[in-house]
Amino acid sequence: MDKQNYIQEAERQLSNTTFYKILPADPTEQYKRELNKILKTLPVDIQECIHTDTPQEPRPGKFYLLPKIHKLGNTGRPIVSGRDTITVGVSGYMDSILRPYATSTPSYLRDTTDFLRKIQSIDNLPDDTILATMDVEALYTNIPHADGLQALQNIILDKTTAHLATELCHFVLTHNYFEFGDNLYLQINGTAMGTRMAPQYANIFMADLEQRFLSSHPLEPLLYLRFLDDIFIIWTHGKEALERFHQDFNNFHPTINLSLDHSTQQVHFLDTTVQLHNGRINTTLYRKPTDRYSYLHASSYHPKHTTRSIVYSQALRYNRICSNALDRDSHLKRFTTSIFGTTVPTK
């Protein structure tokens, strides 16, 4: 990406005063004192755990963008590297505390394999079944601190753990400062993509939000699964009801906006295309238009088993995702042609 365009995109995002503010001075010493004050109130084992991962000389985070090459305008996904920051120890500890609560929620998906396992037994679907996906727009930055912390208290039933989680997460959320160019910034809304606790925190927020919404809505999906900000739905109440469901969900929280894609034939979710056929669910491989089969080059100076394992692991992935053997073989032929320049016989 052109350097000047990259800088302009970063400055465009950082100029949004809803999410960021410029700091007049480096707050590191002040933040160190605040952290030490909090740690003194905690049990000794927790103090030691956090101290171990907290640098003696913390520094501001580093802000950078991952350009979204598959989207119009190549907007950037904002990342703040938490390495060597004042919050890295607290965030790592909270990641371990929050993970069991985030992964035990009803809608939680660990990965594609987990998704395939949860839909494999679904059959006898009615003729008017609709497959739908929803995507949350900029989830991490759109979680208000008060709502995210309240979600922790709603999900974590043990009051002592809930209080600890709320206090330490609040510190991470309100001390996410970083540098870009010649300026220091503080993120004042949402959580940073780049701090270790962020995925679990976002998962818990969405789990709490969706549970409250689904329990209050007159119609529920036959199946509702979520991987972070990507939602998969099997709907059996008709198109108009689905669109009302989507609209109601969008109106349920002021900062959470969801896009909707639906079809009676197929939808894309994660790296799969989910299809309806005679009341059953079939799956095949989904590749984004920007996918160019770009893997480690075979002449790269790596052990041979590394380059071989790339091909082997991709073949396992294709076999796992594709319901139909002929469809799988078709994808494998395209794969081998693309990386080897010739078709390797499949078995």
Side-chain angles (χ1 to χ4, degrees), residues 34-202:
E34 291 179 17
L35 176 59
N36 288 332
K37 184 177 180 181
I38 292 173
L39 291 181
K40 288 178 181 178
T41 67
L42 303 179
V44 175
D45 58 331
I46 298 178
Q47 289 186 45
E48 293 177 351
C49 181
I50 294 175
H51 266 305
T52 300
D53 293 331
T54 302
Q56 292 185 348
E57 298 297 331
R59 63 186 185 187
K62 301 290 186 181
F63 180 91
Y64 65 95
L65 299 175
L66 295 179
K68 301 179 182 180
I69 62 172
H70 59 292
K71 293 194 175 181
L72 185 65
N74 301 139
T75 56
R77 177 178 286 110
I79 313 290
V80 178
S81 172
R83 183 177 179 180
D84 292 334
T85 64
I86 190 69
T87 62
V88 65
V90 181
S91 187
Y93 177 73
M94 286 314 306
D95 174 67
S96 65
I97 295 298
L98 298 181
R99 187 177 296 273
Y101 299 98
T103 57
S104 63
T105 55
S107 66
Y108 174 78
L109 286 174
R110 184 177 65 253
D111 50 25
T112 298
T113 303
D114 190 29
F115 172 64
L116 294 172
R117 180 179 61 81
K118 289 178 177 177
I119 65 171
Q120 66 180 356
S121 61
I122 296 176
D123 57 10
N124 297 321
L125 293 170
D127 294 338
D128 60 348
T129 297
I130 299 174
L131 301 176
T133 60
M134 293 194 295
D135 179 71
V136 185
E137 179 184 343
L139 172 60
Y140 281 42
T141 52
N142 280 303
I143 303 175
H145 293 342
D147 294 348
L149 296 175
Q150 183 61 53
L152 298 182
Q153 296 183 45
N154 295 344
I155 293 289
I156 303 174
L157 299 181
D158 180 80
K159 298 303 180 183
T160 302
T161 305
H163 176 75
L164 173 68
T166 301
E167 183 178 26
L168 294 182
C169 284
H170 182 265
F171 179 83
V172 175
L173 295 170
T174 56
H175 293 73
N176 177 43
Y177 73 111
F178 55 86
E179 57 186 5
F180 184 81
D182 296 328
N183 292 321
L184 283 171
Y185 297 85
L186 177 69
Q187 184 167 345
I188 57 177
N189 194 64
T191 183
M193 188 177 293
T195 189
R196 281 184 59 187
M197 76 167 202
Q200 314 311 333
Y201 176 75

Side-chain angles (χ1 to χ4, degrees), residues 70 112 261 266-275 283-291 293 295 314 317-318 321-322 327 331 334:
H70 59 292
T112 298
D261 182 34
Q266 66 176 33
V267 294
H268 306 306
F269 184 71
L270 303 180
D271 57 346
T272 72
T273 296
V274 185
Q275 303 167 329
T283 55
T284 186
L285 183 72
Y286 172 65
R287 294 174 51 241
K288 289 184 176 180
T290 50
D291 186 354
Y293 293 110
Y295 303 100
Q314 289 302 307
R317 172 172 164 255
Y318 286 26
I321 291 175
C322 298
D327 175 58
H331 282 290
R334 285 197 292 272

